[in-house]
Amino acid sequence: MRRTTVVQEDCWKLRAEATWGNAAAGEDLVALRAENDQLRRALAGRAVIDQARGMMMVLTPCSRGTARDLLVGTSRQCNTKLPEVAAAMVAAWEGKPLPERMQRALRYTLRRLSAEDRGCESPPPGERSR
């Protein structure tokens, strides 16, 4: 049985050759690191969104899809990214006040979805998007 060990110095030399010796490989490395960072941020945001979705399912007995629709609708009404809305919802659950514009947007979205469940095409009278 033969064992191969890479010495740290050789490892650094290989990285240096890949980065500086070959321009295409260096560009690939930069692109892969950027993609890796983007995927990490997406996964972190996804966890918060799933947590907020679970909270919505508890607070308003509804399905996963409806809970996501509530979050997406609130996000659209506030013109705020979904992970930011989800983070604000989780923070509100933990005792921080939900921003006023998100409160209004959530209220509007809840009424709109409730109206859809009743078979209406629009929210109750007097409600409009802000």
Side-chain angles (χ1 to χ4, degrees), residues 48-75 82 85-86 89 106 109-110 112-113 117:
V48 173
I49 292 168
D50 285 343
Q51 188 176 5
R53 183 188 307 172
M55 290 169 33
M56 287 292 140
M57 291 170 65
V58 168
L59 293 172
T60 61
C62 63
S63 68
R64 278 178 65 91
T66 304
R68 186 175 197 299
D69 291 345
L70 281 169
L71 290 172
V72 169
T74 303
S75 172
L82 185 57
V85 170
M89 297 281 185
L106 180 60
T109 304
L110 280 167
R112 183 180 53 81
L113 287 174
D117 285 345

PDB file of all heavy atoms in Angstrom, residues 48-75 82 85-86 89 106 109-110 112-113 117:
ATOM      1  N   VAL A  48     -33.677  31.547   6.785  1.00  0.00           N
ATOM      2  CA  VAL A  48     -34.520  32.577   7.403  1.00  0.00           C
ATOM      3  C   VAL A  48     -35.906  32.559   6.774  1.00  0.00           C
ATOM      4  O   VAL A  48     -36.921  32.673   7.465  1.00  0.00           O
ATOM      5  CB  VAL A  48     -33.867  33.971   7.272  1.00  0.00           C
ATOM      6  CG1 VAL A  48     -34.799  35.062   7.740  1.00  0.00           C
ATOM      7  CG2 VAL A  48     -32.580  34.016   8.041  1.00  0.00           C
ATOM      8  N   ILE A  49     -35.963  32.385   5.452  1.00  0.00           N
ATOM      9  CA  ILE A  49     -37.252  32.339   4.761  1.00  0.00           C
ATOM     10  C   ILE A  49     -38.061  31.137   5.246  1.00  0.00           C
ATOM     11  O   ILE A  49     -39.262  31.252   5.508  1.00  0.00           O
ATOM     12  CB  ILE A  49     -37.053  32.300   3.233  1.00  0.00           C
ATOM     13  CG1 ILE A  49     -36.475  33.627   2.750  1.00  0.00           C
ATOM     14  CG2 ILE A  49     -38.360  31.989   2.514  1.00  0.00           C
ATOM     15  CD1 ILE A  49     -35.984  33.605   1.318  1.00  0.00           C
ATOM     16  N   ASP A  50     -37.414  29.983   5.388  1.00  0.00           N
ATOM     17  CA  ASP A  50     -38.119  28.795   5.869  1.00  0.00           C
ATOM     18  C   ASP A  50     -38.618  28.992   7.302  1.00  0.00           C
ATOM     19  O   ASP A  50     -39.716  28.556   7.640  1.00  0.00           O
ATOM     20  CB  ASP A  50     -37.215  27.572   5.791  1.00  0.00           C
ATOM     21  CG  ASP A  50     -37.043  27.066   4.366  1.00  0.00           C
ATOM     22  OD1 ASP A  50     -37.859  27.439   3.497  1.00  0.00           O
ATOM     23  OD2 ASP A  50     -36.096  26.293   4.122  1.00  0.00           O
ATOM     24  N   GLN A  51     -37.823  29.658   8.123  1.00  0.00           N
ATOM     25  CA  GLN A  51     -38.251  29.918   9.498  1.00  0.00           C
ATOM     26  C   GLN A  51     -39.468  30.845   9.517  1.00  0.00           C
ATOM     27  O   GLN A  51     -40.437  30.606  10.237  1.00  0.00           O
ATOM     28  CB  GLN A  51     -37.100  30.528  10.287  1.00  0.00           C
ATOM     29  CG  GLN A  51     -37.389  30.663  11.757  1.00  0.00           C
ATOM     30  CD  GLN A  51     -36.192  31.184  12.540  1.00  0.00           C
ATOM     31  OE1 GLN A  51     -35.170  31.540  11.967  1.00  0.00           O
ATOM     32  NE2 GLN A  51     -36.326  31.239  13.851  1.00  0.00           N
ATOM     33  N   ALA A  52     -39.419  31.903   8.710  1.00  0.00           N
ATOM     34  CA  ALA A  52     -40.555  32.831   8.643  1.00  0.00           C
ATOM     35  C   ALA A  52     -41.790  32.132   8.065  1.00  0.00           C
ATOM     36  O   ALA A  52     -42.916  32.388   8.508  1.00  0.00           O
ATOM     37  CB  ALA A  52     -40.185  34.045   7.800  1.00  0.00           C
ATOM     38  N   ARG A  53     -41.584  31.261   7.094  1.00  0.00           N
ATOM     39  CA  ARG A  53     -42.709  30.517   6.513  1.00  0.00           C
ATOM     40  C   ARG A  53     -43.363  29.650   7.585  1.00  0.00           C
ATOM     41  O   ARG A  53     -44.591  29.593   7.684  1.00  0.00           O
ATOM     42  CB  ARG A  53     -42.218  29.649   5.368  1.00  0.00           C
ATOM     43  CG  ARG A  53     -43.357  28.912   4.682  1.00  0.00           C
ATOM     44  CD  ARG A  53     -42.889  27.909   3.682  1.00  0.00           C
ATOM     45  NE  ARG A  53     -41.973  28.489   2.723  1.00  0.00           N
ATOM     46  CZ  ARG A  53     -41.306  27.771   1.836  1.00  0.00           C
ATOM     47  NH1 ARG A  53     -41.435  26.469   1.798  1.00  0.00           N
ATOM     48  NH2 ARG A  53     -40.490  28.348   0.991  1.00  0.00           N
ATOM     49  N   GLY A  54     -42.559  28.992   8.408  1.00  0.00           N
ATOM     50  CA  GLY A  54     -43.105  28.187   9.498  1.00  0.00           C
ATOM     51  C   GLY A  54     -43.894  29.030  10.490  1.00  0.00           C
ATOM     52  O   GLY A  54     -44.951  28.609  10.972  1.00  0.00           O
ATOM     53  N   MET A  55     -43.397  30.220  10.768  1.00  0.00           N
ATOM     54  CA  MET A  55     -44.115  31.123  11.671  1.00  0.00           C
ATOM     55  C   MET A  55     -45.467  31.499  11.084  1.00  0.00           C
ATOM     56  O   MET A  55     -46.475  31.536  11.792  1.00  0.00           O
ATOM     57  CB  MET A  55     -43.284  32.375  11.919  1.00  0.00           C
ATOM     58  CG  MET A  55     -42.057  32.136  12.756  1.00  0.00           C
ATOM     59  SD  MET A  55     -40.893  33.520  12.813  1.00  0.00           S
ATOM     60  CE  MET A  55     -41.924  34.942  12.702  1.00  0.00           C
ATOM     61  N   MET A  56     -45.486  31.797   9.790  1.00  0.00           N
ATOM     62  CA  MET A  56     -46.750  32.150   9.129  1.00  0.00           C
ATOM     63  C   MET A  56     -47.732  30.984   9.187  1.00  0.00           C
ATOM     64  O   MET A  56     -48.927  31.184   9.378  1.00  0.00           O
ATOM     65  CB  MET A  56     -46.510  32.522   7.662  1.00  0.00           C
ATOM     66  CG  MET A  56     -45.853  33.842   7.444  1.00  0.00           C
ATOM     67  SD  MET A  56     -46.979  35.151   7.926  1.00  0.00           S
ATOM     68  CE  MET A  56     -45.847  36.232   8.714  1.00  0.00           C
ATOM     69  N   MET A  57     -47.215  29.765   9.027  1.00  0.00           N
ATOM     70  CA  MET A  57     -48.085  28.591   9.063  1.00  0.00           C
ATOM     71  C   MET A  57     -48.698  28.399  10.451  1.00  0.00           C
ATOM     72  O   MET A  57     -49.827  27.940  10.573  1.00  0.00           O
ATOM     73  CB  MET A  57     -47.295  27.346   8.639  1.00  0.00           C
ATOM     74  CG  MET A  57     -46.921  27.347   7.174  1.00  0.00           C
ATOM     75  SD  MET A  57     -45.759  26.043   6.720  1.00  0.00           S
ATOM     76  CE  MET A  57     -46.722  24.585   7.026  1.00  0.00           C
ATOM     77  N   VAL A  58     -47.956  28.786  11.498  1.00  0.00           N
ATOM     78  CA  VAL A  58     -48.470  28.675  12.866  1.00  0.00           C
ATOM     79  C   VAL A  58     -49.476  29.784  13.148  1.00  0.00           C
ATOM     80  O   VAL A  58     -50.545  29.549  13.713  1.00  0.00           O
ATOM     81  CB  VAL A  58     -47.304  28.728  13.890  1.00  0.00           C
ATOM     82  CG1 VAL A  58     -47.818  28.916  15.295  1.00  0.00           C
ATOM     83  CG2 VAL A  58     -46.466  27.473  13.782  1.00  0.00           C
ATOM     84  N   LEU A  59     -49.136  31.013  12.746  1.00  0.00           N
ATOM     85  CA  LEU A  59     -49.986  32.166  13.059  1.00  0.00           C
ATOM     86  C   LEU A  59     -51.277  32.182  12.253  1.00  0.00           C
ATOM     87  O   LEU A  59     -52.324  32.596  12.756  1.00  0.00           O
ATOM     88  CB  LEU A  59     -49.211  33.462  12.824  1.00  0.00           C
ATOM     89  CG  LEU A  59     -48.035  33.698  13.769  1.00  0.00           C
ATOM     90  CD1 LEU A  59     -47.234  34.909  13.319  1.00  0.00           C
ATOM     91  CD2 LEU A  59     -48.532  33.871  15.188  1.00  0.00           C
ATOM     92  N   THR A  60     -51.196  31.818  10.995  1.00  0.00           N
ATOM     93  CA  THR A  60     -52.378  31.765  10.135  1.00  0.00           C
ATOM     94  C   THR A  60     -52.475  30.349   9.603  1.00  0.00           C
ATOM     95  O   THR A  60     -51.779  30.017   8.649  1.00  0.00           O
ATOM     96  CB  THR A  60     -52.261  32.736   8.948  1.00  0.00           C
ATOM     97  OG1 THR A  60     -51.124  32.368   8.173  1.00  0.00           O
ATOM     98  CG2 THR A  60     -52.117  34.162   9.397  1.00  0.00           C
ATOM     99  N   PRO A  61     -53.254  29.507  10.211  1.00  0.00           N
ATOM    100  CA  PRO A  61     -53.281  28.100   9.805  1.00  0.00           C
ATOM    101  C   PRO A  61     -53.438  27.986   8.282  1.00  0.00           C
ATOM    102  O   PRO A  61     -54.518  28.212   7.733  1.00  0.00           O
ATOM    103  CB  PRO A  61     -54.489  27.520  10.531  1.00  0.00           C
ATOM    104  CG  PRO A  61     -54.740  28.455  11.663  1.00  0.00           C
ATOM    105  CD  PRO A  61     -54.267  29.802  11.207  1.00  0.00           C
ATOM    106  N   CYS A  62     -52.323  27.707   7.635  1.00  0.00           N
ATOM    107  CA  CYS A  62     -52.332  27.630   6.183  1.00  0.00           C
ATOM    108  C   CYS A  62     -51.251  26.664   5.713  1.00  0.00           C
ATOM    109  O   CYS A  62     -50.446  26.181   6.511  1.00  0.00           O
ATOM    110  CB  CYS A  62     -52.117  29.016   5.574  1.00  0.00           C
ATOM    111  SG  CYS A  62     -50.519  29.749   5.966  1.00  0.00           S
ATOM    112  N   SER A  63     -51.240  26.406   4.414  1.00  0.00           N
ATOM    113  CA  SER A  63     -50.260  25.497   3.829  1.00  0.00           C
ATOM    114  C   SER A  63     -48.926  26.208   3.620  1.00  0.00           C
ATOM    115  O   SER A  63     -48.829  27.426   3.747  1.00  0.00           O
ATOM    116  CB  SER A  63     -50.779  24.983   2.489  1.00  0.00           C
ATOM    117  OG  SER A  63     -50.825  26.046   1.558  1.00  0.00           O
ATOM    118  N   ARG A  64     -47.917  25.423   3.255  1.00  0.00           N
ATOM    119  CA  ARG A  64     -46.597  25.985   2.960  1.00  0.00           C
ATOM    120  C   ARG A  64     -46.673  26.997   1.821  1.00  0.00           C
ATOM    121  O   ARG A  64     -46.068  28.056   1.873  1.00  0.00           O
ATOM    122  CB  ARG A  64     -45.622  24.880   2.541  1.00  0.00           C
ATOM    123  CG  ARG A  64     -45.005  24.139   3.667  1.00  0.00           C
ATOM    124  CD  ARG A  64     -44.095  23.022   3.140  1.00  0.00           C
ATOM    125  NE  ARG A  64     -42.946  23.498   2.403  1.00  0.00           N
ATOM    126  CZ  ARG A  64     -41.764  23.756   2.942  1.00  0.00           C
ATOM    127  NH1 ARG A  64     -41.590  23.570   4.224  1.00  0.00           N
ATOM    128  NH2 ARG A  64     -40.750  24.163   2.203  1.00  0.00           N
ATOM    129  N   GLY A  65     -47.429  26.640   0.788  1.00  0.00           N
ATOM    130  CA  GLY A  65     -47.550  27.514  -0.377  1.00  0.00           C
ATOM    131  C   GLY A  65     -48.197  28.844  -0.030  1.00  0.00           C
ATOM    132  O   GLY A  65     -47.747  29.907  -0.472  1.00  0.00           O
ATOM    133  N   THR A  66     -49.258  28.786   0.762  1.00  0.00           N
ATOM    134  CA  THR A  66     -49.942  30.015   1.158  1.00  0.00           C
ATOM    135  C   THR A  66     -49.046  30.868   2.044  1.00  0.00           C
ATOM    136  O   THR A  66     -49.004  32.093   1.903  1.00  0.00           O
ATOM    137  CB  THR A  66     -51.258  29.687   1.884  1.00  0.00           C
ATOM    138  OG1 THR A  66     -52.062  28.871   1.031  1.00  0.00           O
ATOM    139  CG2 THR A  66     -52.017  30.931   2.254  1.00  0.00           C
ATOM    140  N   ALA A  67     -48.303  30.221   2.941  1.00  0.00           N
ATOM    141  CA  ALA A  67     -47.389  30.970   3.814  1.00  0.00           C
ATOM    142  C   ALA A  67     -46.314  31.663   2.971  1.00  0.00           C
ATOM    143  O   ALA A  67     -45.968  32.814   3.221  1.00  0.00           O
ATOM    144  CB  ALA A  67     -46.747  30.029   4.822  1.00  0.00           C
ATOM    145  N   ARG A  68     -45.813  30.973   1.946  1.00  0.00           N
ATOM    146  CA  ARG A  68     -44.818  31.596   1.074  1.00  0.00           C
ATOM    147  C   ARG A  68     -45.445  32.747   0.299  1.00  0.00           C
ATOM    148  O   ARG A  68     -44.830  33.796   0.123  1.00  0.00           O
ATOM    149  CB  ARG A  68     -44.232  30.567   0.111  1.00  0.00           C
ATOM    150  CG  ARG A  68     -43.089  31.142  -0.698  1.00  0.00           C
ATOM    151  CD  ARG A  68     -42.430  30.102  -1.576  1.00  0.00           C
ATOM    152  NE  ARG A  68     -41.135  30.470  -2.064  1.00  0.00           N
ATOM    153  CZ  ARG A  68     -40.855  31.508  -2.840  1.00  0.00           C
ATOM    154  NH1 ARG A  68     -41.804  32.338  -3.195  1.00  0.00           N
ATOM    155  NH2 ARG A  68     -39.638  31.754  -3.266  1.00  0.00           N
ATOM    156  N   ASP A  69     -46.691  32.555  -0.165  1.00  0.00           N
ATOM    157  CA  ASP A  69     -47.387  33.634  -0.870  1.00  0.00           C
ATOM    158  C   ASP A  69     -47.544  34.867   0.012  1.00  0.00           C
ATOM    159  O   ASP A  69     -47.441  36.002  -0.468  1.00  0.00           O
ATOM    160  CB  ASP A  69     -48.757  33.163  -1.362  1.00  0.00           C
ATOM    161  CG  ASP A  69     -48.662  32.139  -2.487  1.00  0.00           C
ATOM    162  OD1 ASP A  69     -47.566  32.007  -3.080  1.00  0.00           O
ATOM    163  OD2 ASP A  69     -49.672  31.471  -2.761  1.00  0.00           O
ATOM    164  N   LEU A  70     -47.790  34.641   1.303  1.00  0.00           N
ATOM    165  CA  LEU A  70     -47.893  35.771   2.239  1.00  0.00           C
ATOM    166  C   LEU A  70     -46.576  36.535   2.316  1.00  0.00           C
ATOM    167  O   LEU A  70     -46.559  37.765   2.259  1.00  0.00           O
ATOM    168  CB  LEU A  70     -48.267  35.271   3.630  1.00  0.00           C
ATOM    169  CG  LEU A  70     -49.723  34.940   3.883  1.00  0.00           C
ATOM    170  CD1 LEU A  70     -49.875  34.202   5.199  1.00  0.00           C
ATOM    171  CD2 LEU A  70     -50.547  36.199   3.882  1.00  0.00           C
ATOM    172  N   LEU A  71     -45.486  35.802   2.432  1.00  0.00           N
ATOM    173  CA  LEU A  71     -44.178  36.449   2.509  1.00  0.00           C
ATOM    174  C   LEU A  71     -43.829  37.162   1.207  1.00  0.00           C
ATOM    175  O   LEU A  71     -43.345  38.298   1.225  1.00  0.00           O
ATOM    176  CB  LEU A  71     -43.100  35.425   2.859  1.00  0.00           C
ATOM    177  CG  LEU A  71     -43.147  34.875   4.273  1.00  0.00           C
ATOM    178  CD1 LEU A  71     -42.164  33.725   4.431  1.00  0.00           C
ATOM    179  CD2 LEU A  71     -42.870  35.958   5.284  1.00  0.00           C
ATOM    180  N   VAL A  72     -44.088  36.502   0.088  1.00  0.00           N
ATOM    181  CA  VAL A  72     -43.778  37.110  -1.213  1.00  0.00           C
ATOM    182  C   VAL A  72     -44.645  38.346  -1.438  1.00  0.00           C
ATOM    183  O   VAL A  72     -44.165  39.385  -1.897  1.00  0.00           O
ATOM    184  CB  VAL A  72     -43.960  36.083  -2.348  1.00  0.00           C
ATOM    185  CG1 VAL A  72     -43.912  36.749  -3.706  1.00  0.00           C
ATOM    186  CG2 VAL A  72     -42.891  35.005  -2.259  1.00  0.00           C
ATOM    187  N   GLY A  73     -45.932  38.252  -1.096  1.00  0.00           N
ATOM    188  CA  GLY A  73     -46.825  39.401  -1.252  1.00  0.00           C
ATOM    189  C   GLY A  73     -46.387  40.579  -0.398  1.00  0.00           C
ATOM    190  O   GLY A  73     -46.385  41.728  -0.849  1.00  0.00           O
ATOM    191  N   THR A  74     -45.987  40.295   0.829  1.00  0.00           N
ATOM    192  CA  THR A  74     -45.499  41.352   1.709  1.00  0.00           C
ATOM    193  C   THR A  74     -44.229  41.966   1.148  1.00  0.00           C
ATOM    194  O   THR A  74     -44.059  43.189   1.138  1.00  0.00           O
ATOM    195  CB  THR A  74     -45.236  40.786   3.123  1.00  0.00           C
ATOM    196  OG1 THR A  74     -46.443  40.198   3.610  1.00  0.00           O
ATOM    197  CG2 THR A  74     -44.772  41.863   4.066  1.00  0.00           C
ATOM    198  N   SER A  75     -43.358  41.122   0.626  1.00  0.00           N
ATOM    199  CA  SER A  75     -42.116  41.602   0.028  1.00  0.00           C
ATOM    200  C   SER A  75     -42.392  42.526  -1.160  1.00  0.00           C
ATOM    201  O   SER A  75     -41.775  43.580  -1.299  1.00  0.00           O
ATOM    202  CB  SER A  75     -41.279  40.400  -0.426  1.00  0.00           C
ATOM    203  OG  SER A  75     -40.173  40.799  -1.163  1.00  0.00           O
ATOM    204  N   LEU A  82     -37.135  39.408  -0.330  1.00  0.00           N
ATOM    205  CA  LEU A  82     -37.772  38.391   0.500  1.00  0.00           C
ATOM    206  C   LEU A  82     -36.956  38.017   1.739  1.00  0.00           C
ATOM    207  O   LEU A  82     -37.526  37.942   2.839  1.00  0.00           O
ATOM    208  CB  LEU A  82     -38.075  37.155  -0.352  1.00  0.00           C
ATOM    209  CG  LEU A  82     -38.852  36.028   0.307  1.00  0.00           C
ATOM    210  CD1 LEU A  82     -40.186  36.527   0.844  1.00  0.00           C
ATOM    211  CD2 LEU A  82     -39.070  34.892  -0.677  1.00  0.00           C
ATOM    212  N   VAL A  85     -37.515  40.666   4.398  1.00  0.00           N
ATOM    213  CA  VAL A  85     -38.851  40.588   5.002  1.00  0.00           C
ATOM    214  C   VAL A  85     -38.892  39.428   5.987  1.00  0.00           C
ATOM    215  O   VAL A  85     -39.389  39.561   7.109  1.00  0.00           O
ATOM    216  CB  VAL A  85     -39.944  40.434   3.915  1.00  0.00           C
ATOM    217  CG1 VAL A  85     -41.289  40.101   4.532  1.00  0.00           C
ATOM    218  CG2 VAL A  85     -40.043  41.693   3.079  1.00  0.00           C
ATOM    219  N   ALA A  86     -38.351  38.287   5.577  1.00  0.00           N
ATOM    220  CA  ALA A  86     -38.342  37.114   6.452  1.00  0.00           C
ATOM    221  C   ALA A  86     -37.549  37.402   7.732  1.00  0.00           C
ATOM    222  O   ALA A  86     -37.984  37.039   8.830  1.00  0.00           O
ATOM    223  CB  ALA A  86     -37.751  35.923   5.706  1.00  0.00           C
ATOM    224  N   MET A  89     -39.607  39.500  10.017  1.00  0.00           N
ATOM    225  CA  MET A  89     -40.677  38.708  10.642  1.00  0.00           C
ATOM    226  C   MET A  89     -40.116  37.893  11.811  1.00  0.00           C
ATOM    227  O   MET A  89     -40.722  37.838  12.879  1.00  0.00           O
ATOM    228  CB  MET A  89     -41.303  37.752   9.630  1.00  0.00           C
ATOM    229  CG  MET A  89     -41.982  38.427   8.488  1.00  0.00           C
ATOM    230  SD  MET A  89     -43.594  39.015   8.975  1.00  0.00           S
ATOM    231  CE  MET A  89     -44.176  39.607   7.405  1.00  0.00           C
ATOM    232  N   LEU A 106     -48.210  43.444   5.183  1.00  0.00           N
ATOM    233  CA  LEU A 106     -48.674  42.137   5.658  1.00  0.00           C
ATOM    234  C   LEU A 106     -50.188  42.137   5.835  1.00  0.00           C
ATOM    235  O   LEU A 106     -50.882  41.198   5.435  1.00  0.00           O
ATOM    236  CB  LEU A 106     -47.972  41.774   6.965  1.00  0.00           C
ATOM    237  CG  LEU A 106     -48.349  40.428   7.575  1.00  0.00           C
ATOM    238  CD1 LEU A 106     -48.025  39.288   6.619  1.00  0.00           C
ATOM    239  CD2 LEU A 106     -47.623  40.238   8.900  1.00  0.00           C
ATOM    240  N   THR A 109     -51.740  42.000   2.391  1.00  0.00           N
ATOM    241  CA  THR A 109     -51.575  40.683   1.775  1.00  0.00           C
ATOM    242  C   THR A 109     -52.482  39.654   2.431  1.00  0.00           C
ATOM    243  O   THR A 109     -53.085  38.821   1.756  1.00  0.00           O
ATOM    244  CB  THR A 109     -50.100  40.241   1.862  1.00  0.00           C
ATOM    245  OG1 THR A 109     -49.285  41.247   1.260  1.00  0.00           O
ATOM    246  CG2 THR A 109     -49.879  38.939   1.137  1.00  0.00           C
ATOM    247  N   LEU A 110     -52.603  39.713   3.763  1.00  0.00           N
ATOM    248  CA  LEU A 110     -53.513  38.795   4.460  1.00  0.00           C
ATOM    249  C   LEU A 110     -54.956  38.989   4.001  1.00  0.00           C
ATOM    250  O   LEU A 110     -55.674  38.026   3.753  1.00  0.00           O
ATOM    251  CB  LEU A 110     -53.417  38.999   5.975  1.00  0.00           C
ATOM    252  CG  LEU A 110     -52.237  38.345   6.673  1.00  0.00           C
ATOM    253  CD1 LEU A 110     -52.094  38.894   8.085  1.00  0.00           C
ATOM    254  CD2 LEU A 110     -52.408  36.839   6.697  1.00  0.00           C
ATOM    255  N   ARG A 112     -55.938  40.276   1.145  1.00  0.00           N
ATOM    256  CA  ARG A 112     -56.062  39.865  -0.258  1.00  0.00           C
ATOM    257  C   ARG A 112     -56.196  38.347  -0.362  1.00  0.00           C
ATOM    258  O   ARG A 112     -57.078  37.841  -1.059  1.00  0.00           O
ATOM    259  CB  ARG A 112     -54.857  40.341  -1.063  1.00  0.00           C
ATOM    260  CG  ARG A 112     -54.953  40.016  -2.546  1.00  0.00           C
ATOM    261  CD  ARG A 112     -53.750  40.487  -3.335  1.00  0.00           C
ATOM    262  NE  ARG A 112     -52.482  40.022  -2.806  1.00  0.00           N
ATOM    263  CZ  ARG A 112     -51.971  38.804  -3.036  1.00  0.00           C
ATOM    264  NH1 ARG A 112     -52.619  37.941  -3.756  1.00  0.00           N
ATOM    265  NH2 ARG A 112     -50.810  38.477  -2.512  1.00  0.00           N
ATOM    266  N   LEU A 113     -55.359  37.619   0.357  1.00  0.00           N
ATOM    267  CA  LEU A 113     -55.434  36.162   0.303  1.00  0.00           C
ATOM    268  C   LEU A 113     -56.726  35.650   0.926  1.00  0.00           C
ATOM    269  O   LEU A 113     -57.306  34.677   0.451  1.00  0.00           O
ATOM    270  CB  LEU A 113     -54.222  35.543   0.995  1.00  0.00           C
ATOM    271  CG  LEU A 113     -52.906  35.674   0.217  1.00  0.00           C
ATOM    272  CD1 LEU A 113     -51.741  35.171   1.052  1.00  0.00           C
ATOM    273  CD2 LEU A 113     -52.966  34.939  -1.103  1.00  0.00           C
ATOM    274  N   ASP A 117     -59.646  33.410  -0.902  1.00  0.00           N
ATOM    275  CA  ASP A 117     -60.211  32.188  -0.335  1.00  0.00           C
ATOM    276  C   ASP A 117     -61.738  32.231  -0.322  1.00  0.00           C
ATOM    277  O   ASP A 117     -62.393  31.206  -0.482  1.00  0.00           O
ATOM    278  CB  ASP A 117     -59.705  31.956   1.093  1.00  0.00           C
ATOM    279  CG  ASP A 117     -58.271  31.468   1.112  1.00  0.00           C
ATOM    280  OD1 ASP A 117     -57.758  31.044   0.051  1.00  0.00           O
ATOM    281  OD2 ASP A 117     -57.652  31.519   2.199  1.00  0.00           O
TER     282      ASP A 117
END
